[in-house]
PDB file of all heavy atoms in Angstrom:
ATOM      1  N   LEU A 704      43.293 167.459  38.115  1.00 96.00           N
ATOM      2  CA  LEU A 704      41.911 167.090  38.381  1.00 96.00           C
ATOM      3  C   LEU A 704      41.865 165.668  38.903  1.00 96.00           C
ATOM      4  O   LEU A 704      42.139 164.718  38.151  1.00 96.00           O
ATOM      5  CB  LEU A 704      41.077 167.243  37.089  1.00 96.00           C
ATOM      6  CG  LEU A 704      41.189 168.588  36.369  1.00 96.00           C
ATOM      7  CD1 LEU A 704      40.421 168.580  35.062  1.00 96.00           C
ATOM      8  CD2 LEU A 704      40.714 169.731  37.261  1.00 96.00           C
ATOM      9  N   ILE A 705      41.561 165.512  40.179  1.00 96.00           N
ATOM     10  CA  ILE A 705      41.653 164.204  40.847  1.00 96.00           C
ATOM     11  C   ILE A 705      40.251 163.701  41.161  1.00 96.00           C
ATOM     12  O   ILE A 705      39.461 164.440  41.754  1.00 96.00           O
ATOM     13  CB  ILE A 705      42.509 164.319  42.123  1.00 96.00           C
ATOM     14  CG1 ILE A 705      43.870 164.943  41.789  1.00 96.00           C
ATOM     15  CG2 ILE A 705      42.677 162.962  42.784  1.00 96.00           C
ATOM     16  CD1 ILE A 705      44.713 165.250  43.016  1.00 96.00           C
ATOM     17  N   TYR A 706      39.980 162.468  40.778  1.00 95.00           N
ATOM     18  CA  TYR A 706      38.652 161.910  41.006  1.00 95.00           C
ATOM     19  C   TYR A 706      38.754 160.504  41.578  1.00 95.00           C
ATOM     20  O   TYR A 706      39.788 159.861  41.511  1.00 95.00           O
ATOM     21  CB  TYR A 706      37.811 161.940  39.720  1.00 95.00           C
ATOM     22  CG  TYR A 706      38.390 161.153  38.561  1.00 95.00           C
ATOM     23  CD1 TYR A 706      37.991 159.840  38.311  1.00 95.00           C
ATOM     24  CD2 TYR A 706      39.332 161.724  37.705  1.00 95.00           C
ATOM     25  CE1 TYR A 706      38.501 159.123  37.247  1.00 95.00           C
ATOM     26  CE2 TYR A 706      39.855 161.027  36.634  1.00 95.00           C
ATOM     27  CZ  TYR A 706      39.437 159.716  36.407  1.00 95.00           C
ATOM     28  OH  TYR A 706      39.949 159.007  35.363  1.00 95.00           O
ATOM     29  N   ASN A 707      37.641 160.043  42.117  1.00 93.00           N
ATOM     30  CA  ASN A 707      37.580 158.764  42.825  1.00 93.00           C
ATOM     31  C   ASN A 707      37.097 157.678  41.868  1.00 93.00           C
ATOM     32  O   ASN A 707      36.113 157.858  41.139  1.00 93.00           O
ATOM     33  CB  ASN A 707      36.622 158.883  44.028  1.00 93.00           C
ATOM     34  CG  ASN A 707      36.652 157.657  44.905  1.00 93.00           C
ATOM     35  OD1 ASN A 707      37.471 156.754  44.716  1.00 93.00           O
ATOM     36  ND2 ASN A 707      35.753 157.605  45.863  1.00 93.00           N
ATOM     37  N   LEU A 708      37.789 156.532  41.887  1.00 90.00           N
ATOM     38  CA  LEU A 708      37.395 155.396  41.043  1.00 90.00           C
ATOM     39  C   LEU A 708      36.494 154.411  41.798  1.00 90.00           C
ATOM     40  O   LEU A 708      35.936 153.505  41.191  1.00 90.00           O
ATOM     41  CB  LEU A 708      38.654 154.659  40.560  1.00 90.00           C
ATOM     42  CG  LEU A 708      39.560 155.411  39.600  1.00 90.00           C
ATOM     43  CD1 LEU A 708      40.867 154.644  39.408  1.00 90.00           C
ATOM     44  CD2 LEU A 708      38.885 155.635  38.274  1.00 90.00           C
ATOM     45  N   ASP A 709      36.386 154.575  43.123  1.00 84.00           N
ATOM     46  CA  ASP A 709      35.647 153.611  43.929  1.00 84.00           C
ATOM     47  C   ASP A 709      34.222 154.082  44.163  1.00 84.00           C
ATOM     48  O   ASP A 709      33.978 155.260  44.461  1.00 84.00           O
ATOM     49  CB  ASP A 709      36.318 153.424  45.296  1.00 84.00           C
ATOM     50  CG  ASP A 709      37.366 152.355  45.263  1.00 84.00           C
ATOM     51  OD1 ASP A 709      37.513 151.719  44.209  1.00 84.00           O
ATOM     52  OD2 ASP A 709      38.070 152.177  46.268  1.00 84.00           O
ATOM     53  N   THR A 710      33.279 153.153  44.073  1.00 76.00           N
ATOM     54  CA  THR A 710      31.918 153.445  44.471  1.00 76.00           C
ATOM     55  C   THR A 710      31.813 153.224  45.977  1.00 76.00           C
ATOM     56  O   THR A 710      32.095 152.151  46.489  1.00 76.00           O
ATOM     57  CB  THR A 710      30.919 152.502  43.753  1.00 76.00           C
ATOM     58  OG1 THR A 710      31.017 152.730  42.344  1.00 76.00           O
ATOM     59  CG2 THR A 710      29.497 152.795  44.197  1.00 76.00           C
ATOM     60  N   GLU A 711      31.451 154.289  46.709  1.00 68.00           N
ATOM     61  CA  GLU A 711      31.347 154.223  48.161  1.00 68.00           C
ATOM     62  C   GLU A 711      29.914 154.532  48.570  1.00 68.00           C
ATOM     63  O   GLU A 711      29.462 155.674  48.425  1.00 68.00           O
ATOM     64  CB  GLU A 711      32.326 155.211  48.816  1.00 68.00           C
ATOM     65  CG  GLU A 711      33.776 154.938  48.479  1.00 68.00           C
ATOM     66  CD  GLU A 711      34.713 155.970  49.090  1.00 68.00           C
ATOM     67  OE1 GLU A 711      34.221 156.875  49.766  1.00 68.00           O
ATOM     68  OE2 GLU A 711      35.931 155.875  48.876  1.00 68.00           O
ATOM     69  N   GLY A 712      29.207 153.520  49.069  1.00 61.00           N
ATOM     70  CA  GLY A 712      27.807 153.716  49.426  1.00 61.00           C
ATOM     71  C   GLY A 712      26.989 154.113  48.210  1.00 61.00           C
ATOM     72  O   GLY A 712      26.975 153.440  47.183  1.00 61.00           O
ATOM     73  N   PHE A 713      26.321 155.273  48.295  1.00 59.00           N
ATOM     74  CA  PHE A 713      25.509 155.761  47.178  1.00 59.00           C
ATOM     75  C   PHE A 713      26.289 156.707  46.285  1.00 59.00           C
ATOM     76  O   PHE A 713      25.753 157.273  45.340  1.00 59.00           O
ATOM     77  CB  PHE A 713      24.256 156.474  47.699  1.00 59.00           C
ATOM     78  CG  PHE A 713      23.296 155.549  48.401  1.00 59.00           C
ATOM     79  CD1 PHE A 713      23.203 155.534  49.790  1.00 59.00           C
ATOM     80  CD2 PHE A 713      22.516 154.681  47.675  1.00 59.00           C
ATOM     81  CE1 PHE A 713      22.333 154.692  50.434  1.00 59.00           C
ATOM     82  CE2 PHE A 713      21.629 153.829  48.326  1.00 59.00           C
ATOM     83  CZ  PHE A 713      21.548 153.833  49.708  1.00 59.00           C
ATOM     84  N   GLU A 714      27.571 156.925  46.572  1.00 64.00           N
ATOM     85  CA  GLU A 714      28.366 157.856  45.795  1.00 64.00           C
ATOM     86  C   GLU A 714      28.846 157.192  44.509  1.00 64.00           C
ATOM     87  O   GLU A 714      29.308 156.062  44.520  1.00 64.00           O
ATOM     88  CB  GLU A 714      29.551 158.354  46.621  1.00 64.00           C
ATOM     89  CG  GLU A 714      29.112 159.204  47.812  1.00 64.00           C
ATOM     90  CD  GLU A 714      30.301 159.745  48.587  1.00 64.00           C
ATOM     91  OE1 GLU A 714      31.436 159.554  48.123  1.00 64.00           O
ATOM     92  OE2 GLU A 714      30.093 160.336  49.662  1.00 64.00           O
ATOM     93  N   SER A 715      28.777 157.956  43.438  1.00 65.00           N
ATOM     94  CA  SER A 715      29.158 157.429  42.139  1.00 65.00           C
ATOM     95  C   SER A 715      30.670 157.444  41.966  1.00 65.00           C
ATOM     96  O   SER A 715      31.365 158.304  42.481  1.00 65.00           O
ATOM     97  CB  SER A 715      28.503 158.279  41.040  1.00 65.00           C
ATOM     98  OG  SER A 715      29.037 157.956  39.775  1.00 65.00           O
ATOM     99  N   ALA A 716      31.169 156.448  41.230  1.00 78.00           N
ATOM    100  CA  ALA A 716      32.595 156.418  40.882  1.00 78.00           C
ATOM    101  C   ALA A 716      32.809 156.995  39.488  1.00 78.00           C
ATOM    102  O   ALA A 716      33.899 156.916  38.950  1.00 78.00           O
ATOM    103  CB  ALA A 716      33.091 154.970  40.936  1.00 78.00           C
ATOM    104  N   GLU A 717      31.775 157.611  38.935  1.00 89.00           N
ATOM    105  CA  GLU A 717      31.894 158.199  37.594  1.00 89.00           C
ATOM    106  C   GLU A 717      32.600 159.544  37.693  1.00 89.00           C
ATOM    107  O   GLU A 717      32.241 160.392  38.523  1.00 89.00           O
ATOM    108  CB  GLU A 717      30.496 158.388  36.995  1.00 89.00           C
ATOM    109  CG  GLU A 717      30.508 158.939  35.584  1.00 89.00           C
ATOM    110  CD  GLU A 717      29.102 159.178  35.048  1.00 89.00           C
ATOM    111  OE1 GLU A 717      28.159 158.829  35.762  1.00 89.00           O
ATOM    112  OE2 GLU A 717      29.003 159.673  33.912  1.00 89.00           O
ATOM    113  N   ARG A 718      33.597 159.732  36.851  1.00 92.00           N
ATOM    114  CA  ARG A 718      34.298 161.016  36.866  1.00 92.00           C
ATOM    115  C   ARG A 718      33.339 162.116  36.379  1.00 92.00           C
ATOM    116  O   ARG A 718      32.386 161.878  35.658  1.00 92.00           O
ATOM    117  CB  ARG A 718      35.549 160.961  35.981  1.00 92.00           C
ATOM    118  CG  ARG A 718      35.247 160.871  34.484  1.00 92.00           C
ATOM    119  CD  ARG A 718      36.515 160.639  33.708  1.00 92.00           C
ATOM    120  NE  ARG A 718      36.230 160.555  32.256  1.00 92.00           N
ATOM    121  CZ  ARG A 718      37.088 160.120  31.375  1.00 92.00           C
ATOM    122  NH1 ARG A 718      38.289 159.719  31.744  1.00 92.00           N
ATOM    123  NH2 ARG A 718      36.765 160.071  30.095  1.00 92.00           N
ATOM    124  N   SER A 719      33.652 163.338  36.776  1.00 93.00           N
ATOM    125  CA  SER A 719      32.805 164.464  36.423  1.00 93.00           C
ATOM    126  C   SER A 719      32.736 164.654  34.907  1.00 93.00           C
ATOM    127  O   SER A 719      33.706 164.434  34.177  1.00 93.00           O
ATOM    128  CB  SER A 719      33.332 165.750  37.063  1.00 93.00           C
ATOM    129  OG  SER A 719      32.660 166.867  36.569  1.00 93.00           O
ATOM    130  N   ARG A 720      31.578 165.089  34.449  1.00 93.00           N
ATOM    131  CA  ARG A 720      31.403 165.372  33.016  1.00 93.00           C
ATOM    132  C   ARG A 720      32.361 166.473  32.556  1.00 93.00           C
ATOM    133  O   ARG A 720      32.682 166.564  31.375  1.00 93.00           O
ATOM    134  CB  ARG A 720      29.968 165.771  32.760  1.00 93.00           C
ATOM    135  CG  ARG A 720      29.575 167.135  33.310  1.00 93.00           C
ATOM    136  CD  ARG A 720      28.091 167.394  33.289  1.00 93.00           C
ATOM    137  NE  ARG A 720      27.405 166.521  34.216  1.00 93.00           N
ATOM    138  CZ  ARG A 720      26.089 166.627  34.491  1.00 93.00           C
ATOM    139  NH1 ARG A 720      25.384 167.560  33.874  1.00 93.00           N
ATOM    140  NH2 ARG A 720      25.505 165.828  35.347  1.00 93.00           N
ATOM    141  N   PHE A 721      32.822 167.304  33.497  1.00 94.00           N
ATOM    142  CA  PHE A 721      33.759 168.371  33.105  1.00 94.00           C
ATOM    143  C   PHE A 721      35.081 167.790  32.640  1.00 94.00           C
ATOM    144  O   PHE A 721      35.718 168.329  31.735  1.00 94.00           O
ATOM    145  CB  PHE A 721      33.960 169.330  34.283  1.00 94.00           C
ATOM    146  CG  PHE A 721      32.718 170.020  34.730  1.00 94.00           C
ATOM    147  CD1 PHE A 721      32.506 170.331  36.061  1.00 94.00           C
ATOM    148  CD2 PHE A 721      31.712 170.350  33.822  1.00 94.00           C
ATOM    149  CE1 PHE A 721      31.362 170.966  36.477  1.00 94.00           C
ATOM    150  CE2 PHE A 721      30.544 170.995  34.230  1.00 94.00           C
ATOM    151  CZ  PHE A 721      30.368 171.286  35.575  1.00 94.00           C
ATOM    152  N   ILE A 722      35.534 166.701  33.271  1.00 95.00           N
ATOM    153  CA  ILE A 722      36.746 166.037  32.808  1.00 95.00           C
ATOM    154  C   ILE A 722      36.519 165.442  31.434  1.00 95.00           C
ATOM    155  O   ILE A 722      37.364 165.578  30.537  1.00 95.00           O
ATOM    156  CB  ILE A 722      37.175 164.925  33.812  1.00 95.00           C
ATOM    157  CG1 ILE A 722      37.558 165.537  35.158  1.00 95.00           C
ATOM    158  CG2 ILE A 722      38.330 164.114  33.259  1.00 95.00           C
ATOM    159  CD1 ILE A 722      37.911 164.518  36.221  1.00 95.00           C
ATOM    160  N   THR A 723      35.404 164.784  31.255  1.00 94.00           N
ATOM    161  CA  THR A 723      35.099 164.181  29.952  1.00 94.00           C
ATOM    162  C   THR A 723      35.050 165.247  28.881  1.00 94.00           C
ATOM    163  O   THR A 723      35.524 165.052  27.748  1.00 94.00           O
ATOM    164  CB  THR A 723      33.753 163.433  30.039  1.00 94.00           C
ATOM    165  OG1 THR A 723      33.816 162.452  31.097  1.00 94.00           O
ATOM    166  CG2 THR A 723      33.429 162.737  28.735  1.00 94.00           C
ATOM    167  N   GLN A 724      34.475 166.392  29.224  1.00 93.00           N
ATOM    168  CA  GLN A 724      34.352 167.498  28.251  1.00 93.00           C
ATOM    169  C   GLN A 724      35.744 167.994  27.848  1.00 93.00           C
ATOM    170  O   GLN A 724      35.989 168.262  26.665  1.00 93.00           O
ATOM    171  CB  GLN A 724      33.556 168.617  28.904  1.00 93.00           C
ATOM    172  CG  GLN A 724      33.112 169.695  27.927  1.00 93.00           C
ATOM    173  CD  GLN A 724      32.155 170.679  28.606  1.00 93.00           C
ATOM    174  OE1 GLN A 724      32.140 170.817  29.820  1.00 93.00           O
ATOM    175  NE2 GLN A 724      31.337 171.350  27.812  1.00 93.00           N
TER     176      GLN A 724
END
Side-chain angles (χ1 to χ4, degrees):
L704 308 176
I705 305 173
Y706 59 96
N707 188 8
L708 294 170
D709 273 355
T710 299
E711 299 177 1
F713 293 104
E714 295 182 6
S715 169
E717 182 183 357
R718 70 187 180 193
S719 170
R720 69 191 69 173
F721 299 146
I722 295 178
T723 305
Q724 193 172 22

